[in-house]
Amino acid sequence: MQKLLYRIGSRCLTNLLDNNIKQPMETTMNTAIPDGFKQDQKGRMVPVDLVKPIDIARDDLVAELVQGAKLVKENIARFKAAAMGDIGAFIELSAEKYGVKKLGGNKGNVTLYSFDGRYKIQRAVADHLIFDERLQVAKVLVDECIHNWTEGSSSEIRALIDHAFQVDQEGKVNTSRILGLKRLDIKDAKWREAMQAITDAMQVVGSKTYLRFYERVGESDQYTPIALDIAAL
């Protein structure tokens, strides 16, 4: 058990150290560029002595920073993979305490706290939902409801329904708006039939796992995210 705990605690750091910024620079163009030339945005080879010094300096700066960004991205990807493995191993270790050998994979949301409560980690799994042709059946049933409610129906509900079935430029509906209709407390039998059609139309075509890290704000019960998005730093 101690060996497993040591492995969980050290793998992420070891991976980051072993795979640090010691990798060779990658070329951004597949075309071989002769010595003394630079390739412009149209793919033409331009002699370096014809390129302004400020343009050369800009090109060097952009290339250096982009390469650094790529290495940071790779390190974050390694860190995420290692952290996911460590969290999975820890959950299995915890389950073994109760005689449970397998938990059925890594699916499911989990929150882990440090002993002093200062830090917490959340593993969240979000399913990617799509709707099949039965969503059109639901739309027809909903339209019939609206027609039957013409006399006493709420204009707010009708606007909400119209908004829910709007499609974007790719012809896709907004999943959260469609599911929002199911939360409306409407007793009409045809409406319930439409909501069942929506349920039947839903299909899970994939899922994505997210890791989020938090630090407690002072002595409060509030936590602030530890930003891994460069734009949030």
Side-chain angles (χ1 to χ4, degrees):
M1 183 187 302
Q2 291 179 344
K3 291 182 178 179
L4 178 58
L5 290 174
Y6 175 79
R7 180 185 62 78
I8 292 174
S10 63
R11 187 201 297 170
C12 291
L13 180 60
T14 300
N15 284 349
L16 287 177
L17 292 177
D18 289 346
N19 297 286
N20 212 331
I21 307 177
K22 296 179 180 178
Q23 303 177 14
M25 296 286 285
E26 296 179 358
T27 59
T28 57
M29 297 289 183
N30 294 326
T31 305
I33 301 176
D35 291 339
F37 288 83
K38 277 190 172 296
Q39 186 175 20
D40 68 8
Q41 296 182 15
K42 294 183 178 180
R44 299 172 300 192
M45 298 299 170
V46 181
V48 173
D49 58 2
L50 296 181
V51 181
K52 295 178 181 179
I54 190 64
D55 292 335
I56 294 177
R58 184 187 304 109
D59 180 65
D60 291 342
L61 174 64
V62 171
E64 181 180 354
L65 293 180
V66 167
Q67 183 64 21
K70 288 182 177 181
L71 291 172
V72 170
K73 177 184 176 182
E74 292 173 2
N75 279 337
I76 290 177
R78 293 190 192 97
F79 172 75
K80 178 182 179 181
M84 290 291 294
D86 290 344
I87 291 173
F90 176 78
I91 292 173
E92 294 290 343
L93 174 66
S94 182
E96 288 178 2
K97 294 291 185 180
Y98 298 93
V100 177
K101 300 298 183 183
K102 289 292 182 181
L103 294 178
N106 293 326
K107 193 171 181 63
N109 299 338
V110 176
T111 301
L112 303 175
Y113 290 87
S114 62
F115 186 72
D116 61 0
R118 181 179 180 185
Y119 303 108
K120 74 174 179 179
I121 301 173
Q122 289 182 342
R123 184 189 73 182
V125 181
D127 289 332
H128 177 55
L129 299 175
I130 64 169
F131 297 95
D132 62 23
E133 75 287 346
R134 285 170 288 190
L135 183 64
Q136 299 303 316
V137 176
K139 180 62 167 61
V140 171
L141 293 172
V142 168
D143 288 341
E144 291 179 5
C145 288
I146 294 177
H147 178 74
N148 294 336
W149 298 344
T150 301
E151 292 297 329
S153 61
S154 167
S155 59
E156 290 80 6
I157 291 180
R158 296 179 66 184
L160 179 64
I161 292 170
D162 290 339
H163 183 60
F165 282 97
Q166 287 180 354
V167 297
D168 59 18
Q169 293 180 348
E170 297 179 355
K172 297 179 180 178
V173 296
N174 185 288
T175 301
S176 62
R177 292 202 298 259
I178 292 294
L179 296 181
L181 296 178
K182 293 171 58 64
R183 291 192 288 271
L184 297 177
D185 187 19
I186 298 176
K187 306 299 184 183
D188 187 277
K190 190 173 291 293
W191 176 269
R192 291 181 178 273
E193 187 178 357
M195 296 305 100
Q196 184 59 50
I198 289 177
T199 299
D200 295 340
M202 289 191 301
Q203 296 184 25
V204 178
V205 295
S207 63
K208 188 170 183 178
T209 303
Y210 299 88
L211 279 181
R212 299 184 178 94
F213 301 85
Y214 299 87
E215 183 175 7
R216 189 168 63 188
V217 179
E219 299 300 323
S220 70
D221 60 353
Q222 302 297 313
Y223 285 82
T224 182
I226 298 174
L228 296 178
D229 178 4
I230 192 170
L233 299 177

